[in-house]
Amino acid sequence: MKFRLFSLAAAFAVIAGVASAQDYSSPEFEKYGATPEERKENVLKYNYLNDAFRQKDWALASKYFNELAKDAPGIGQNLYIMGGTIYKNKIATARTREDRVRYIDSLLTVYDMRAEQFGDHPTRGISYIYSEKAKDFINYRPTEIGDIIKHSTAAIDASKDNVDLNLAQGYFNALVEGYKNDDVETEVLLNEYDKLVVVVLKSDNAHKDEVAGVIDALFIQSGAATCDNLEKIFKAQFEADPDNLDLVKKIARYLSRNECKSAFAAEVGEKLYSLEPTAEAAIIIAGNYAEIKNMDKAYQFYDEAIELEQNPETKATYAVRASGVALIAENGRKSAEYARKAIANDSENGLAYFLLAQAYANGTSQCSGFERQMAFCLVYDQMLRAREHVTDAAQLEVINKAIATYPAYFPSNEEVFFRTLSKGDSYNVSCGWLSGTTTIRTK
C-alpha cells in the first residue's frame, strides 16, 4: 500500500510538472474550461482519472469523472466510455440494493450526458448511444417493461435502417418474458414483433437473417402466435404487397407451422402457389380448403400436390391425406380413388389399404342383397392387406377390431350354395361406384 501511494504521489508530481509547462490559453485546451486556470485544473483531474481507472480504484475514478462531467463535459467521448465502465464495476460490487439502484441510475445518466455532448457524432452518435443505454437498461432492469419499451423504441427509431441486432434480439426477448408474466399485452407484443422483423431485415449486418430467425422463434414460443393473431399481423402486409414472394412464403410458413385453417390461410396459400407452384404449397392450400369445407378446391389442390411431387413415398403420403379428408367428408368414391393412388406409389403403405377398406365400407351403402354381402368381402380383403403393412400397435388394434366385425356381413353357406357358387371362388363385385375382385367368404 505504501509503495502504491508513493507511486501515485510521484506520478501526480510528474503530471503537475508537465501541466505547469503547458500554455492553457491555446485553442486546443478550450474543451477543458473557460479560463487557463480551469483548464489546467481539469487536465490534471483527467490525468488523475486515467490513473485511478487503470488502478481500478472505482470510488476515486467516479469522483474525478463526476467533477469533469460537470466542469468540462466536452472533453471527449472517452470520458463517458470510462464513466460507463466505472459505474458498471460499481454496480457489480455494490454492497446494498440501494447502492446498486443508485449506481444504475448513474450509469444511465452517463449515457444521457454523452448523448447531449456527442449525439451528432457520425458513427457513435445518438443511435449508438441510445442502443447501448437500452441494452444496459434491459440487462439491469429486466422487469421494468414500460421503460424497456421506451428506451428500446427510442434507440430503434434513431437507428433508422441500421438497428443494433443485439438490442433487437434482447428487446424482443424481454417483451416475450413480460408477456409470459402478463406484463405485456398481446397487441403490444404483436406490434413490436411486426416492427422488429422489418427493421432487422433492413439492416446491412451479415447476421440479420439469423437474428430475424431468433425473433421468429421467440414469437412462436411466446404462445402469442395464434392463428387469429397471425392474421392480425400479416393480413395488412399481405394485402399491401401480395406479389412479394419472400413475404408470402413467410406468412404461409407461419400459418402452416401453427396449422391455421381459414379463408385467409387459403388465400395466402393460393397466392404462393401462383407465384411459385410447388407440391408443398399445394398441400397446404388443399388442407385449408378442406378445413373450410370447400371440397372442390381441396381436391383440386390435392391433385396438384400429388402431380407435382416427385418422390413416390411423399406422393403416397399426400394421397393418404387426401383420402382421409374425403372419407371424413363422406365421399367414399373420392377416398377410394386417393387410396388407390397412394398404393400405386407405395404398395407398402398400410394406411392406404386401411383407408381403401373404409372407403369401400362407405360404398357398401350403394349395394344391396348378395352384392352388398360380397362388397364386405372386398372390404375385408383391403383390411387384411392393411394389417400386413402396419406396425403401430394402436393402429393394429383398430384394424383387428374392424376385421373381427366384417364376417357378420358375409353371406351364409346356404346363400352361396343357392347361387351355385362355392366358398373360396373368385367374385367380381359391381354395385354403385364400387367394383373389384374378391374371394367368396361365408359367415
Side-chain angles (χ1 to χ4, degrees), residues 219-257:
F219 180 57
I220 295 298
Q221 293 165 13
S222 73
T226 64
C227 294
D228 286 344
N229 287 343
L230 290 172
E231 184 165 342
K232 286 177 185 176
I233 291 176
F234 291 127
K235 190 168 186 178
Q237 294 181 37
F238 176 73
E239 291 175 347
D241 197 5
D243 294 322
N244 183 330
L245 179 59
D246 289 338
L247 173 65
V248 176
K249 277 184 174 180
K250 176 182 176 180
I251 297 172
R253 184 173 67 253
Y254 278 119
L255 294 172
S256 176
R257 184 184 298 172

mmCIF file of all heavy atoms in Angstrom, residues 219-257:
data_model
loop_
_atom_site.group_PDB
_atom_site.id
_atom_site.type_symbol
_atom_site.label_atom_id
_atom_site.label_comp_id
_atom_site.label_asym_id
_atom_site.label_seq_id
_atom_site.Cartn_x
_atom_site.Cartn_y
_atom_site.Cartn_z
ATOM 1 N N PHE A 219 -41.099 -15.510 -30.885
ATOM 2 C CA PHE A 219 -42.520 -15.195 -31.066
ATOM 3 C C PHE A 219 -43.373 -16.457 -31.024
ATOM 4 O O PHE A 219 -44.402 -16.506 -30.344
ATOM 5 C CB PHE A 219 -42.711 -14.462 -32.396
ATOM 6 C CG PHE A 219 -44.142 -14.103 -32.683
ATOM 7 C CD1 PHE A 219 -44.873 -13.330 -31.801
ATOM 8 C CD2 PHE A 219 -44.752 -14.535 -33.856
ATOM 9 C CE1 PHE A 219 -46.189 -12.997 -32.069
ATOM 10 C CE2 PHE A 219 -46.062 -14.210 -34.127
ATOM 11 C CZ PHE A 219 -46.784 -13.438 -33.234
ATOM 12 N N ILE A 220 -42.923 -17.489 -31.700
ATOM 13 C CA ILE A 220 -43.658 -18.755 -31.699
ATOM 14 C C ILE A 220 -43.711 -19.332 -30.288
ATOM 15 O O ILE A 220 -44.757 -19.792 -29.814
ATOM 16 C CB ILE A 220 -43.003 -19.760 -32.662
ATOM 17 C CG1 ILE A 220 -43.113 -19.264 -34.120
ATOM 18 C CG2 ILE A 220 -43.648 -21.138 -32.526
ATOM 19 C CD1 ILE A 220 -44.509 -19.113 -34.641
ATOM 20 N N GLN A 221 -42.573 -19.294 -29.587
ATOM 21 C CA GLN A 221 -42.501 -19.852 -28.238
ATOM 22 C C GLN A 221 -43.328 -19.069 -27.231
ATOM 23 O O GLN A 221 -43.699 -19.593 -26.183
ATOM 24 C CB GLN A 221 -41.045 -19.899 -27.773
ATOM 25 C CG GLN A 221 -40.175 -20.872 -28.547
ATOM 26 C CD GLN A 221 -38.687 -20.648 -28.335
ATOM 27 O OE1 GLN A 221 -38.285 -19.919 -27.416
ATOM 28 N NE2 GLN A 221 -37.860 -21.244 -29.180
ATOM 29 N N SER A 222 -43.609 -17.817 -27.542
ATOM 30 C CA SER A 222 -44.336 -16.969 -26.590
ATOM 31 C C SER A 222 -45.758 -17.443 -26.342
ATOM 32 O O SER A 222 -46.348 -17.145 -25.315
ATOM 33 C CB SER A 222 -44.376 -15.526 -27.105
ATOM 34 O OG SER A 222 -45.278 -15.413 -28.214
ATOM 35 N N GLY A 223 -46.322 -18.174 -27.314
ATOM 36 C CA GLY A 223 -47.713 -18.588 -27.200
ATOM 37 C C GLY A 223 -48.670 -17.556 -27.765
ATOM 38 O O GLY A 223 -49.888 -17.779 -27.804
ATOM 39 N N ALA A 224 -48.136 -16.429 -28.218
ATOM 40 C CA ALA A 224 -48.996 -15.376 -28.779
ATOM 41 C C ALA A 224 -49.284 -15.601 -30.259
ATOM 42 O O ALA A 224 -50.123 -14.923 -30.838
ATOM 43 C CB ALA A 224 -48.341 -14.008 -28.601
ATOM 44 N N ALA A 225 -48.574 -16.574 -30.852
ATOM 45 C CA ALA A 225 -48.698 -16.794 -32.297
ATOM 46 C C ALA A 225 -49.906 -17.669 -32.625
ATOM 47 O O ALA A 225 -49.795 -18.693 -33.290
ATOM 48 C CB ALA A 225 -47.421 -17.425 -32.832
ATOM 49 N N THR A 226 -51.073 -17.248 -32.160
ATOM 50 C CA THR A 226 -52.292 -17.968 -32.520
ATOM 51 C C THR A 226 -52.669 -17.614 -33.950
ATOM 52 O O THR A 226 -52.196 -16.618 -34.505
ATOM 53 C CB THR A 226 -53.447 -17.594 -31.587
ATOM 54 O OG1 THR A 226 -53.752 -16.191 -31.767
ATOM 55 C CG2 THR A 226 -53.078 -17.840 -30.122
ATOM 56 N N CYS A 227 -53.539 -18.402 -34.519
ATOM 57 C CA CYS A 227 -53.934 -18.155 -35.903
ATOM 58 C C CYS A 227 -54.601 -16.789 -36.056
ATOM 59 O O CYS A 227 -54.363 -16.066 -37.022
ATOM 60 C CB CYS A 227 -54.861 -19.272 -36.388
ATOM 61 S SG CYS A 227 -54.024 -20.875 -36.483
ATOM 62 N N ASP A 228 -55.436 -16.417 -35.088
ATOM 63 C CA ASP A 228 -56.090 -15.100 -35.147
ATOM 64 C C ASP A 228 -55.056 -13.983 -35.082
ATOM 65 O O ASP A 228 -55.146 -12.993 -35.824
ATOM 66 C CB ASP A 228 -57.083 -14.945 -33.997
ATOM 67 C CG ASP A 228 -58.351 -15.760 -34.207
ATOM 68 O OD1 ASP A 228 -58.595 -16.191 -35.356
ATOM 69 O OD2 ASP A 228 -59.093 -15.964 -33.226
ATOM 70 N N ASN A 229 -54.077 -14.138 -34.198
ATOM 71 C CA ASN A 229 -53.047 -13.106 -34.069
ATOM 72 C C ASN A 229 -52.174 -13.022 -35.309
ATOM 73 O O ASN A 229 -51.788 -11.930 -35.742
ATOM 74 C CB ASN A 229 -52.181 -13.370 -32.842
ATOM 75 C CG ASN A 229 -52.902 -13.070 -31.546
ATOM 76 O OD1 ASN A 229 -53.922 -12.372 -31.545
ATOM 77 N ND2 ASN A 229 -52.399 -13.591 -30.450
ATOM 78 N N LEU A 230 -51.851 -14.169 -35.880
ATOM 79 C CA LEU A 230 -51.047 -14.167 -37.104
ATOM 80 C C LEU A 230 -51.784 -13.449 -38.231
ATOM 81 O O LEU A 230 -51.170 -12.715 -39.007
ATOM 82 C CB LEU A 230 -50.716 -15.605 -37.516
ATOM 83 C CG LEU A 230 -49.728 -16.342 -36.613
ATOM 84 C CD1 LEU A 230 -49.637 -17.809 -37.014
ATOM 85 C CD2 LEU A 230 -48.352 -15.698 -36.672
ATOM 86 N N GLU A 231 -53.072 -13.666 -38.305
ATOM 87 C CA GLU A 231 -53.848 -12.974 -39.344
ATOM 88 C C GLU A 231 -53.849 -11.472 -39.092
ATOM 89 O O GLU A 231 -53.730 -10.677 -40.033
ATOM 90 C CB GLU A 231 -55.275 -13.521 -39.384
ATOM 91 C CG GLU A 231 -56.101 -12.921 -40.515
ATOM 92 C CD GLU A 231 -57.382 -13.688 -40.801
ATOM 93 O OE1 GLU A 231 -57.493 -14.862 -40.390
ATOM 94 O OE2 GLU A 231 -58.274 -13.110 -41.435
ATOM 95 N N LYS A 232 -53.958 -11.062 -37.819
ATOM 96 C CA LYS A 232 -53.926 -9.640 -37.494
ATOM 97 C C LYS A 232 -52.605 -9.012 -37.915
ATOM 98 O O LYS A 232 -52.554 -7.888 -38.405
ATOM 99 C CB LYS A 232 -54.125 -9.442 -35.990
ATOM 100 C CG LYS A 232 -55.542 -9.668 -35.504
ATOM 101 C CD LYS A 232 -55.621 -9.520 -33.990
ATOM 102 C CE LYS A 232 -57.005 -9.863 -33.477
ATOM 103 N NZ LYS A 232 -57.061 -9.812 -31.980
ATOM 104 N N ILE A 233 -51.516 -9.754 -37.698
ATOM 105 C CA ILE A 233 -50.193 -9.225 -38.050
ATOM 106 C C ILE A 233 -50.002 -9.134 -39.550
ATOM 107 O O ILE A 233 -49.560 -8.132 -40.102
ATOM 108 C CB ILE A 233 -49.079 -10.133 -37.479
ATOM 109 C CG1 ILE A 233 -49.037 -10.036 -35.963
ATOM 110 C CG2 ILE A 233 -47.718 -9.735 -38.035
ATOM 111 C CD1 ILE A 233 -48.038 -10.987 -35.350
ATOM 112 N N PHE A 234 -50.331 -10.221 -40.229
ATOM 113 C CA PHE A 234 -49.896 -10.378 -41.610
ATOM 114 C C PHE A 234 -50.904 -9.945 -42.676
ATOM 115 O O PHE A 234 -50.520 -9.730 -43.826
ATOM 116 C CB PHE A 234 -49.509 -11.840 -41.868
ATOM 117 C CG PHE A 234 -48.272 -12.271 -41.149
ATOM 118 C CD1 PHE A 234 -48.268 -13.397 -40.339
ATOM 119 C CD2 PHE A 234 -47.096 -11.553 -41.272
ATOM 120 C CE1 PHE A 234 -47.125 -13.801 -39.675
ATOM 121 C CE2 PHE A 234 -45.943 -11.946 -40.619
ATOM 122 C CZ PHE A 234 -45.961 -13.074 -39.817
ATOM 123 N N LYS A 235 -52.164 -9.826 -42.329
ATOM 124 C CA LYS A 235 -53.161 -9.559 -43.374
ATOM 125 C C LYS A 235 -52.891 -8.238 -44.074
ATOM 126 O O LYS A 235 -52.935 -8.150 -45.311
ATOM 127 C CB LYS A 235 -54.566 -9.579 -42.789
ATOM 128 C CG LYS A 235 -55.636 -9.555 -43.871
ATOM 129 C CD LYS A 235 -57.015 -9.880 -43.314
ATOM 130 C CE LYS A 235 -58.027 -9.994 -44.445
ATOM 131 N NZ LYS A 235 -59.371 -10.352 -43.942
ATOM 132 N N ALA A 236 -52.608 -7.200 -43.293
ATOM 133 C CA ALA A 236 -52.354 -5.886 -43.896
ATOM 134 C C ALA A 236 -51.103 -5.919 -44.767
ATOM 135 O O ALA A 236 -51.073 -5.340 -45.861
ATOM 136 C CB ALA A 236 -52.214 -4.829 -42.805
ATOM 137 N N GLN A 237 -50.046 -6.616 -44.268
ATOM 138 C CA GLN A 237 -48.814 -6.732 -45.060
ATOM 139 C C GLN A 237 -49.085 -7.463 -46.372
ATOM 140 O O GLN A 237 -48.588 -7.065 -47.433
ATOM 141 C CB GLN A 237 -47.760 -7.504 -44.268
ATOM 142 C CG GLN A 237 -47.259 -6.809 -43.025
ATOM 143 C CD GLN A 237 -46.203 -7.626 -42.313
ATOM 144 O OE1 GLN A 237 -45.367 -8.286 -42.949
ATOM 145 N NE2 GLN A 237 -46.221 -7.601 -40.999
ATOM 146 N N PHE A 238 -49.844 -8.525 -46.278
ATOM 147 C CA PHE A 238 -50.149 -9.331 -47.462
ATOM 148 C C PHE A 238 -50.940 -8.532 -48.482
ATOM 149 O O PHE A 238 -50.628 -8.547 -49.682
ATOM 150 C CB PHE A 238 -50.931 -10.568 -47.030
ATOM 151 C CG PHE A 238 -51.401 -11.433 -48.175
ATOM 152 C CD1 PHE A 238 -50.513 -12.218 -48.885
ATOM 153 C CD2 PHE A 238 -52.737 -11.445 -48.542
ATOM 154 C CE1 PHE A 238 -50.939 -13.011 -49.940
ATOM 155 C CE2 PHE A 238 -53.175 -12.231 -49.591
ATOM 156 C CZ PHE A 238 -52.269 -13.016 -50.298
ATOM 157 N N GLU A 239 -51.941 -7.815 -48.010
ATOM 158 C CA GLU A 239 -52.781 -7.034 -48.923
ATOM 159 C C GLU A 239 -52.007 -5.891 -49.558
ATOM 160 O O GLU A 239 -52.282 -5.499 -50.687
ATOM 161 C CB GLU A 239 -54.005 -6.508 -48.177
ATOM 162 C CG GLU A 239 -54.988 -7.619 -47.791
ATOM 163 C CD GLU A 239 -56.153 -7.126 -46.947
ATOM 164 O OE1 GLU A 239 -56.069 -5.965 -46.460
ATOM 165 O OE2 GLU A 239 -57.121 -7.890 -46.774
ATOM 166 N N ALA A 240 -51.014 -5.367 -48.815
ATOM 167 C CA ALA A 240 -50.217 -4.258 -49.343
ATOM 168 C C ALA A 240 -49.202 -4.704 -50.383
ATOM 169 O O ALA A 240 -48.833 -3.934 -51.275
ATOM 170 C CB ALA A 240 -49.499 -3.545 -48.192
ATOM 171 N N ASP A 241 -48.744 -5.950 -50.289
ATOM 172 C CA ASP A 241 -47.680 -6.427 -51.190
ATOM 173 C C ASP A 241 -47.889 -7.913 -51.517
ATOM 174 O O ASP A 241 -47.056 -8.753 -51.191
ATOM 175 C CB ASP A 241 -46.327 -6.203 -50.530
ATOM 176 C CG ASP A 241 -45.165 -6.277 -51.513
ATOM 177 O OD1 ASP A 241 -45.430 -6.416 -52.728
ATOM 178 O OD2 ASP A 241 -44.006 -6.209 -51.060
ATOM 179 N N PRO A 242 -49.000 -8.257 -52.173
ATOM 180 C CA PRO A 242 -49.342 -9.673 -52.368
ATOM 181 C C PRO A 242 -48.423 -10.434 -53.316
ATOM 182 O O PRO A 242 -48.437 -11.663 -53.327
ATOM 183 C CB PRO A 242 -50.764 -9.605 -52.924
ATOM 184 C CG PRO A 242 -50.832 -8.273 -53.598
ATOM 185 C CD PRO A 242 -49.999 -7.354 -52.753
ATOM 186 N N ASP A 243 -47.608 -9.730 -54.104
ATOM 187 C CA ASP A 243 -46.722 -10.403 -55.050
ATOM 188 C C ASP A 243 -45.283 -10.512 -54.546
ATOM 189 O O ASP A 243 -44.396 -10.920 -55.287
ATOM 190 C CB ASP A 243 -46.736 -9.672 -56.393
ATOM 191 C CG ASP A 243 -48.091 -9.766 -57.076
ATOM 192 O OD1 ASP A 243 -48.710 -10.841 -56.990
ATOM 193 O OD2 ASP A 243 -48.535 -8.764 -57.670
ATOM 194 N N ASN A 244 -45.085 -10.163 -53.279
ATOM 195 C CA ASN A 244 -43.763 -10.281 -52.655
ATOM 196 C C ASN A 244 -43.570 -11.733 -52.238
ATOM 197 O O ASN A 244 -44.090 -12.179 -51.213
ATOM 198 C CB ASN A 244 -43.670 -9.339 -51.456
ATOM 199 C CG ASN A 244 -42.293 -9.358 -50.811
ATOM 200 O OD1 ASN A 244 -41.587 -10.369 -50.830
ATOM 201 N ND2 ASN A 244 -41.916 -8.245 -50.212
ATOM 202 N N LEU A 245 -42.817 -12.485 -53.028
ATOM 203 C CA LEU A 245 -42.678 -13.929 -52.808
ATOM 204 C C LEU A 245 -42.113 -14.238 -51.425
ATOM 205 O O LEU A 245 -42.609 -15.144 -50.734
ATOM 206 C CB LEU A 245 -41.794 -14.542 -53.892
ATOM 207 C CG LEU A 245 -41.537 -16.055 -53.775
ATOM 208 C CD1 LEU A 245 -42.841 -16.837 -53.798
ATOM 209 C CD2 LEU A 245 -40.610 -16.521 -54.905
ATOM 210 N N ASP A 246 -41.082 -13.498 -50.994
ATOM 211 C CA ASP A 246 -40.485 -13.771 -49.686
ATOM 212 C C ASP A 246 -41.497 -13.545 -48.568
ATOM 213 O O ASP A 246 -41.567 -14.331 -47.613
ATOM 214 C CB ASP A 246 -39.259 -12.885 -49.470
ATOM 215 C CG ASP A 246 -38.089 -13.291 -50.345
ATOM 216 O OD1 ASP A 246 -38.063 -14.462 -50.788
ATOM 217 O OD2 ASP A 246 -37.205 -12.453 -50.601
ATOM 218 N N LEU A 247 -42.262 -12.473 -48.685
ATOM 219 C CA LEU A 247 -43.275 -12.180 -47.672
ATOM 220 C C LEU A 247 -44.345 -13.260 -47.649
ATOM 221 O O LEU A 247 -44.723 -13.755 -46.579
ATOM 222 C CB LEU A 247 -43.915 -10.814 -47.937
ATOM 223 C CG LEU A 247 -45.105 -10.455 -47.048
ATOM 224 C CD1 LEU A 247 -44.664 -10.328 -45.599
ATOM 225 C CD2 LEU A 247 -45.771 -9.166 -47.532
ATOM 226 N N VAL A 248 -44.827 -13.635 -48.812
ATOM 227 C CA VAL A 248 -45.892 -14.641 -48.886
ATOM 228 C C VAL A 248 -45.396 -15.981 -48.350
ATOM 229 O O VAL A 248 -46.115 -16.687 -47.639
ATOM 230 C CB VAL A 248 -46.408 -14.771 -50.340
ATOM 231 C CG1 VAL A 248 -47.438 -15.890 -50.446
ATOM 232 C CG2 VAL A 248 -47.023 -13.454 -50.798
ATOM 233 N N LYS A 249 -44.162 -16.329 -48.677
ATOM 234 C CA LYS A 249 -43.581 -17.571 -48.147
ATOM 235 C C LYS A 249 -43.538 -17.540 -46.620
ATOM 236 O O LYS A 249 -43.849 -18.534 -45.954
ATOM 237 C CB LYS A 249 -42.161 -17.765 -48.681
ATOM 238 C CG LYS A 249 -42.076 -18.388 -50.061
ATOM 239 C CD LYS A 249 -40.615 -18.603 -50.416
ATOM 240 C CE LYS A 249 -40.469 -19.349 -51.732
ATOM 241 N NZ LYS A 249 -39.053 -19.558 -52.089
ATOM 242 N N LYS A 250 -43.119 -16.411 -46.083
ATOM 243 C CA LYS A 250 -43.012 -16.273 -44.637
ATOM 244 C C LYS A 250 -44.386 -16.430 -43.979
ATOM 245 O O LYS A 250 -44.536 -17.172 -42.997
ATOM 246 C CB LYS A 250 -42.425 -14.911 -44.287
ATOM 247 C CG LYS A 250 -42.363 -14.633 -42.797
ATOM 248 C CD LYS A 250 -41.817 -13.245 -42.540
ATOM 249 C CE LYS A 250 -41.850 -12.913 -41.050
ATOM 250 N NZ LYS A 250 -41.315 -11.564 -40.772
ATOM 251 N N ILE A 251 -45.375 -15.750 -44.514
ATOM 252 C CA ILE A 251 -46.725 -15.833 -43.944
ATOM 253 C C ILE A 251 -47.243 -17.265 -44.029
ATOM 254 O O ILE A 251 -47.790 -17.804 -43.056
ATOM 255 C CB ILE A 251 -47.681 -14.867 -44.674
ATOM 256 C CG1 ILE A 251 -47.226 -13.414 -44.483
ATOM 257 C CG2 ILE A 251 -49.108 -15.036 -44.156
ATOM 258 C CD1 ILE A 251 -47.989 -12.410 -45.316
ATOM 259 N N ALA A 252 -47.053 -17.880 -45.186
ATOM 260 C CA ALA A 252 -47.519 -19.261 -45.368
ATOM 261 C C ALA A 252 -46.818 -20.198 -44.391
ATOM 262 O O ALA A 252 -47.435 -21.128 -43.855
ATOM 263 C CB ALA A 252 -47.270 -19.702 -46.804
ATOM 264 N N ARG A 253 -45.533 -19.950 -44.149
ATOM 265 C CA ARG A 253 -44.774 -20.800 -43.234
ATOM 266 C C ARG A 253 -45.330 -20.711 -41.808
ATOM 267 O O ARG A 253 -45.509 -21.725 -41.129
ATOM 268 C CB ARG A 253 -43.306 -20.386 -43.247
ATOM 269 C CG ARG A 253 -42.410 -21.272 -42.388
ATOM 270 C CD ARG A 253 -40.949 -20.936 -42.567
ATOM 271 N NE ARG A 253 -40.587 -19.630 -42.060
ATOM 272 C CZ ARG A 253 -40.298 -18.575 -42.805
ATOM 273 N NH1 ARG A 253 -40.310 -18.667 -44.125
ATOM 274 N NH2 ARG A 253 -39.979 -17.407 -42.262
ATOM 275 N N TYR A 254 -45.617 -19.502 -41.379
ATOM 276 C CA TYR A 254 -46.171 -19.335 -40.033
ATOM 277 C C TYR A 254 -47.550 -19.965 -39.909
ATOM 278 O O TYR A 254 -47.858 -20.633 -38.920
ATOM 279 C CB TYR A 254 -46.264 -17.851 -39.683
ATOM 280 C CG TYR A 254 -44.972 -17.283 -39.197
ATOM 281 C CD1 TYR A 254 -44.339 -16.250 -39.872
ATOM 282 C CD2 TYR A 254 -44.357 -17.784 -38.056
ATOM 283 C CE1 TYR A 254 -43.153 -15.725 -39.430
ATOM 284 C CE2 TYR A 254 -43.165 -17.276 -37.608
ATOM 285 C CZ TYR A 254 -42.558 -16.242 -38.295
ATOM 286 O OH TYR A 254 -41.367 -15.735 -37.861
ATOM 287 N N LEU A 255 -48.382 -19.727 -40.900
ATOM 288 C CA LEU A 255 -49.729 -20.277 -40.846
ATOM 289 C C LEU A 255 -49.692 -21.801 -40.858
ATOM 290 O O LEU A 255 -50.446 -22.460 -40.146
ATOM 291 C CB LEU A 255 -50.547 -19.752 -42.031
ATOM 292 C CG LEU A 255 -50.821 -18.242 -42.026
ATOM 293 C CD1 LEU A 255 -51.473 -17.823 -43.345
ATOM 294 C CD2 LEU A 255 -51.715 -17.850 -40.863
ATOM 295 N N SER A 256 -48.789 -22.354 -41.661
ATOM 296 C CA SER A 256 -48.669 -23.807 -41.731
ATOM 297 C C SER A 256 -48.125 -24.376 -40.434
ATOM 298 O O SER A 256 -48.620 -25.386 -39.923
ATOM 299 C CB SER A 256 -47.749 -24.190 -42.898
ATOM 300 O OG SER A 256 -47.536 -25.575 -42.927
ATOM 301 N N ARG A 257 -47.097 -23.721 -39.874
ATOM 302 C CA ARG A 257 -46.478 -24.196 -38.636
ATOM 303 C C ARG A 257 -47.500 -24.255 -37.499
ATOM 304 O O ARG A 257 -47.439 -25.119 -36.637
ATOM 305 C CB ARG A 257 -45.330 -23.263 -38.258
ATOM 306 C CG ARG A 257 -44.545 -23.707 -37.037
ATOM 307 C CD ARG A 257 -43.497 -22.683 -36.667
ATOM 308 N NE ARG A 257 -42.520 -22.501 -37.725
ATOM 309 C CZ ARG A 257 -41.590 -21.539 -37.707
ATOM 310 N NH1 ARG A 257 -41.537 -20.704 -36.709
ATOM 311 N NH2 ARG A 257 -40.727 -21.430 -38.712
#
